[in-house]
Amino acid sequence: MTGRDPVADQLVRAGRAARIEVGAAGRWRLLATVSFLSEPDGALVVAAGSDSARWAAVLTADARCRVTVDERIFDALAEPIEGPARAGAIR
């Protein structure tokens, strides 16, 4: 996939992790490879373990991102989650 981290690549290909990239068309850069929960509406829920996580801060500043899960690559918009939903994502 990228050759940067073969274990992360394998998890993304298997649909067990999501690769999040930021930037713009043709100039994407890896931000994080994270686990996720799938929502019934197709949304992916990811949560930083800490409010100081760099990748979360980057998405807070600019919510546009590109996500890869197994063979699917799509543009997405990150949205903050709070309350019980946030607690459920972090557990």
Side-chain angles (χ1 to χ4, degrees), residues 17-83:
R19 174 168 286 121
I20 301 172
E21 297 172 288
V22 293
R27 300 184 60 96
W28 294 103
R29 66 181 173 86
L30 178 64
L31 183 58
T33 302
V34 297
S35 60
F36 64 92
L37 300 173
S38 293
E39 293 290 309
D41 66 359
L44 301 181
V45 178
V46 299
S50 162
D51 290 338
S52 63
R54 187 180 76 74
W55 67 268
V58 169
L59 287 175
T60 298
D62 183 352
R64 296 171 297 169
C65 58
R66 183 173 70 174
V67 178
T68 304
V69 175
D70 62 74
E71 298 300 319
R72 298 178 302 141
I73 300 172
F74 53 93
D75 292 335
L77 253 179
E79 297 176 358
I81 55 175
E82 299 296 333

